[in-house]
Every structure is written in C-alpha cells, then in structure tokens.
Amino acid sequence: MNSIFQFLYKQLHWIVFILLEAICFVLLFSYNNYQSSVYLSTANRVTARLLNGKFKVTTYLGLVEQNQALAGQNAQLQQRIVELEALAALQHLDSLSAVEAVNRVHRAGYHVSPAQVIDKSVNKVDNYFTLDRGTADGVMPDMGVMGVDGVVGVVFRCTEHYSLVMPLLNSNSRISCKVLGSDHFGYLRWQGGDPRYAMLHDLPRYSAVEPGDTIVTSGSSSFFPEGVMVGTVEAAYPSADGLYVTLKVLLSTQFAKLEHAFVIRKMDADELAALQELLKPKKK
Amino acid sequence: MERILIRIAWFVGLVLVQVLLLNNICLFGLATPFIYIYFILALDRDVDRNALMAVAFALGLLVDVFSNTPGVNAGASVLVAFLRPSLLRLFAPREEFENFEPGISVMGVWPFVRYAVVVVLLHHTALFFLEAFSFAHIAFLLLRILCSTVLTVLLVMAIEFIRHKR
C-alpha cells in the first residue's frame, strides 16, 4: 500500500498536469453551451470595468473619424426627415394621425437603443464584442446588434450592465440574408481570416447575382428586421453540385473600427421568449 | 517577502500589458505576441513543478477571461509549465546546487534565446491549435504560429536586455 502512495507521489506532476488540462478542455468545450460561463468572459463586472476604463482612454484616439461618421449619419437622418415630411405633406396627414402612424409602426416593429463597444477582437477564430449595456438596460440574449454601416451580430450573453455579442466574425455565427430586390435567401458565415469578408451560402443557382449587388438581412429571424445592410457581393462561386452559389460578401461594417452600436429589440420578442421558455425542458 | 511582492507585480503587470495592449495587436494580420509567457520563462529553476503548473493555469485563465477564449491560454500555459523543468535541464545543463532565474545574465544570451524560442514555440503551437481546433487552414495557422513566436521572442529579449543592462 505504501509503495502505491509513493508511486503516486512520484507521479504527482503527471496527475496535476492531466487534471489541469482536463479542466481547460471542459472550459473550452462548454463555453458555447452554458450560460454560467458568462463569468469567464469580458462581460463580467471586473473585466468589463477594466476594459471600460481602457475604452474611455482609447476612444479619444479615434474621435475625429467617429465624429465624421456620426455627422454623416446625422446628415442621412436629416435627409430622411425631409423626405418623410414631404411625403406626409403629400398625403395630407395631420400631426395627430402621423403620431398614430408612428406608434403603429413602433408597436409592430423594432426598438433601437444605442450602446458602446468597449472591447472587441477581430483576429481570432471566435471573436466576441463587449457592449456597455446589460439586462438593466433591457438588453437580452438573442437581440440583434447593428452598427452605423450595417449588421454587427447577435447578443450572446448578458450581465446586469454589460453584454457579450457574437459578431459575424465568429465561426458559430449564422445570419439569414438575401440579395436586395429578390426573395432568394441564404445564410452568411465567416470563414476566419480577413475580417472584411464573409461567405453567403446556399443561395439558389438560378438567382441572378452580380458583383456589386447589395446583400441585406432577410427578416426571417427575429434578430433583425428585413433589409438591414450587410454588405456587397464581391464574387460568386457555384457549389460542387451546381445547385447553389456561394457569394463572397464585402461586409459593410468595418469591425476593426467599430465603436458605436445599436441593439435592436423586436417589440413582441418578450412574449416570444416567454413562450420559448415554456417549451424548453427544465434543466439546472 | 520582497521577492514574492516583486513576482506578484510582474504577474499583474504582464497580464495587464497582455490584455489591454497586446491582445489588440495583429501585425500583418498574422502575428499576435503573448508576452505573459515571460512570467513562466523567468521563474527560478527550483520552483516546484506542480506549483509552476498551478501558477501557469491561473495566469492563462486570467488572460482567457479577458479575451473570451476560456481554456485556450490556460491549456497552453500549463503544457509549457509541465515541460519547462525538462527543457531547462536541456538548455542550461548546470549541475550547481544553487537556484537560479533563467535569463541572459545567468545563461548567456544565445542559450537563453534557444530556451525561449523552444518554450514560446511550444506554447504558441498549443495555443493556436486549441483556438482553431481544426486543421482546415493549416498553412495559415502555421504561419501565424511562426510569426507570433518571432514577435513574442523579440519582446522577451527586449525585456531581458532592459532588466539586465549593464
């Protein structure tokens, strides 16, 4: 008996080694499955605070460009207001019915709230972004996130004040997209490598697509409304069986520069989520 | 006591530099330095192997938490911590009984470079393969490992020369 213990003690470093590596592999494989692992991410309070501090410092470095982008967006919105006002005048809408119409759209549609990207990576296989908004601000997992230029990703996990976003630049990310002006849709997936490009798979062969065509969200999931900008077609490749085409898409969002984002909440998403919660099998 | 405090300061400092600065670097879309490994490289020889692995695990996990890659950095760090005593015997075959901290002043510049290259290469290979977990883009992956190793070793040597400038 004693010799067994002595043997074990001599080999203790092997046991410790295998044990620690086993823990690492469990962490590695369970990350995408268990909600509890939110504490091992940049959305936990301590790490997010630190990254928030860093964000506050580094955000000054890109201030000029960010201002220009926001000014550009302001101009676009201003333009929209002018157009819509003209349209309203044309339709002889009085202000009361206009308010009513807006409310109706609001009720049927989506709610958009701004957030800051306090941490991000674009050079990994599975990238994640951290936003400075959490459940306390009404952000919940499975909400869509877009930037000034287009789609960013989907909220993955939340703590009270921060949330983790799975952007397009993640091997687990799939977003249903279509070619603008047609109803053929496929799913967008990132191949890794260059953060400017992603691939749109499973588009029917007969859908005539040309380089330069615009790719938008299809609206078939509740993450995004229909028609949010995703990118433009760079090239098209037929699949091996000739039934589908795969498109190389130049993403409109410049992920490496992203600082401002908007969380999109579908208005009846709460009800939908409650229903799905009921359908889910109970687990610890 | 003072030595322990200095070590804790190194630990915290390296993690902060890694997560706030170096994690955002991706030179030419290829090379990302992982300087925190210097803590394991330069820990003195007589540190118990199990303690070294435990420290490496904590170090890696801390970096993981900040980069949303749970288990990746920790796994790679534990691996090199496990192999380090053997490697150290290989590259610094000193039969002296006294303890020493691996570094250019004790080992000489080239032996230390060789030791650092092997440890960093092992660490980065484990790290990048754990992260990708596929052999799909193997050429790109190998290139990333190679470029990142060069960058990390350069940074390690820079720290060494600053510390031991005479």
Side-chain angles (χ1 to χ4, degrees):
Chain A
M1 199 60 194
N2 209 7
S3 61
I4 292 178
F5 279 128
Q6 252 172 12
F7 172 76
L8 280 181
Y9 185 72
K10 244 185 214 163
Q11 302 300 324
L12 188 63
H13 58 274
W14 275 100
I15 299 166
V16 172
F17 173 63
I18 291 166
L19 193 77
L20 287 177
E21 290 290 355
I23 295 173
C24 292
F25 273 85
V26 169
L27 289 174
L28 184 61
F29 287 117
S30 60
Y31 187 62
N32 282 313
N33 302 330
Y34 295 112
Q35 292 291 318
S36 58
S37 50
V38 69
Y39 294 107
L40 287 179
S41 79
T42 48
N44 91 45
R45 188 179 293 253
V46 181
T47 51
R49 279 256 175 88
L50 188 67
L51 292 169
N52 211 348
K54 175 197 147 200
F55 168 76
K56 278 181 186 151
V57 175
T58 53
T59 190
Y60 282 102
L61 301 177
L63 219 50
V64 175
E65 273 178 51
Q66 287 289 328
N67 273 339
Q68 275 169 355
L70 288 175
Q73 199 197 10
N74 259 342
Q76 272 178 6
L77 292 174
Q78 207 59 256
Q79 178 69 28
R80 290 278 295 162
I81 290 174
V82 172
E83 282 169 16
L84 288 173
E85 267 175 353
L87 200 69
L90 211 67
Q91 308 265 343
H92 303 293
L93 287 176
D94 57 272
S95 59
L96 205 68
S97 62
V99 167
E100 181 66 25
V102 166
N103 277 342
R104 208 181 309 127
V105 169
H106 212 61
R107 234 176 293 147
Y110 292 78
H111 182 83
V112 176
S113 54
Q116 302 278 2
V117 180
I118 60 168
D119 180 60
K120 62 173 180 278
S121 68
V122 294
N123 53 18
K124 299 202 181 68
V125 180
D126 293 323
N127 296 293
Y128 294 94
F129 291 3
T130 314
L131 298 183
D132 67 343
R133 293 278 187 275
T135 48
D137 310 287
V139 176
M140 301 290 248
D142 292 341
M143 284 182 180
V145 179
M146 55 182 281
V148 177
D149 300 317
V151 167
V152 171
V154 174
V155 176
F156 176 55
R157 268 188 208 134
C158 293
T159 53
E160 206 179 332
H161 297 294
Y162 300 96
S163 49
L164 206 59
V165 175
M166 183 186 284
L168 291 177
L169 309 182
N170 187 303
S171 64
N172 297 309
S173 164
R174 307 271 187 287
I175 289 185
S176 176
C177 296
K178 65 174 189 179
V179 182
L180 187 68
S182 85
D183 282 332
H184 305 304
F185 58 87
Y187 68 91
L188 192 78
R189 204 188 148 201
W190 187 56
Q191 312 291 88
D194 197 332
R196 290 173 302 168
Y197 297 100
M199 291 296 196
L200 185 61
H201 297 273
D202 285 1
L203 206 70
R205 184 90 168 94
Y206 50 83
S207 50
V209 183
E210 279 173 34
D213 282 0
T214 304
I215 302 294
V216 295
T217 54
S218 69
S220 63
S221 64
S222 69
F223 300 149
F224 296 102
E226 192 180 336
V228 176
M229 179 73 177
V230 175
T232 49
V233 177
E234 190 83 2
Y237 314 99
S239 70
D241 57 8
L243 293 174
Y244 298 100
V245 277
T246 301
L247 303 180
K248 187 181 182 190
V249 178
L250 174 65
L251 299 170
S252 58
T253 302
Q254 290 178 304
F255 286 94
K257 282 209 241 168
L258 191 70
E259 279 187 10
H260 300 281
F262 303 93
V263 181
I264 308 171
R265 183 168 66 215
K266 191 161 192 194
M267 295 310 257
D268 56 3
D270 292 347
E271 281 173 49
L272 215 66
L275 199 65
Q276 277 165 351
E277 200 60 41
L278 282 177
L279 291 173
K280 245 187 227 165
K282 292 267 183 292
K283 63 175 180 183
K284 297 244 166 77
Chain B
M1 188 62 205
E2 196 193 352
R3 285 169 62 86
I4 292 175
L5 282 179
I6 288 175
R7 266 199 209 143
I8 292 174
W10 267 103
F11 187 96
V12 174
L14 284 171
V15 168
L16 283 180
V17 168
Q18 181 64 46
V19 300
L20 293 182
L21 212 62
L22 302 185
N23 266 359
N24 303 315
I25 291 178
C26 195
L27 214 58
F28 311 119
L30 287 170
T32 306
F34 292 91
I35 193 63
Y36 70 90
I37 200 70
Y38 179 73
F39 187 80
I40 298 170
L41 273 175
L43 221 51
D44 39 336
R45 185 191 62 175
D46 287 355
V47 170
D48 177 53
R49 209 182 226 190
N50 297 325
L52 186 66
M53 280 191 278
V55 169
F57 181 76
L59 183 66
L61 196 64
L62 210 54
V63 175
D64 276 335
V65 165
F66 277 99
S67 33
N68 291 315
T69 53
V72 174
N73 284 292
S77 305
V78 169
L79 177 73
V80 292
F82 177 70
L83 295 174
R84 196 190 82 135
S86 323
L87 291 172
L88 211 50
R89 227 169 316 166
L90 200 68
F91 289 104
R94 297 158 67 100
E95 293 306 321
E96 290 157 29
F97 290 105
E98 66 187 276
N99 193 4
F100 71 93
E101 281 184 25
I104 51 174
S105 54
V106 186
M107 292 167 67
V109 175
W110 287 110
F112 182 75
V113 170
R114 280 200 289 270
Y115 160 69
V117 165
V118 171
V119 170
V120 170
L121 191 61
L122 276 170
H123 173 265
H124 285 17
T125 307
L127 183 85
F128 281 106
F129 274 101
L130 274 177
E131 196 209 334
F133 223 85
S134 88
F135 296 98
H137 304 284
I138 183 108
F140 178 66
L141 212 57
L142 290 177
L143 197 62
R144 277 203 77 177
I145 292 170
L146 224 63
C147 294
S148 302
T149 303
V150 171
L151 199 56
T152 307
V153 171
L154 281 177
L155 280 178
V156 165
M157 293 317 289
I159 294 182
E160 272 295 310
F161 278 115
I162 292 167
R163 278 182 78 189
H164 300 290
K165 129 179 109 181
R166 293 275 143 81

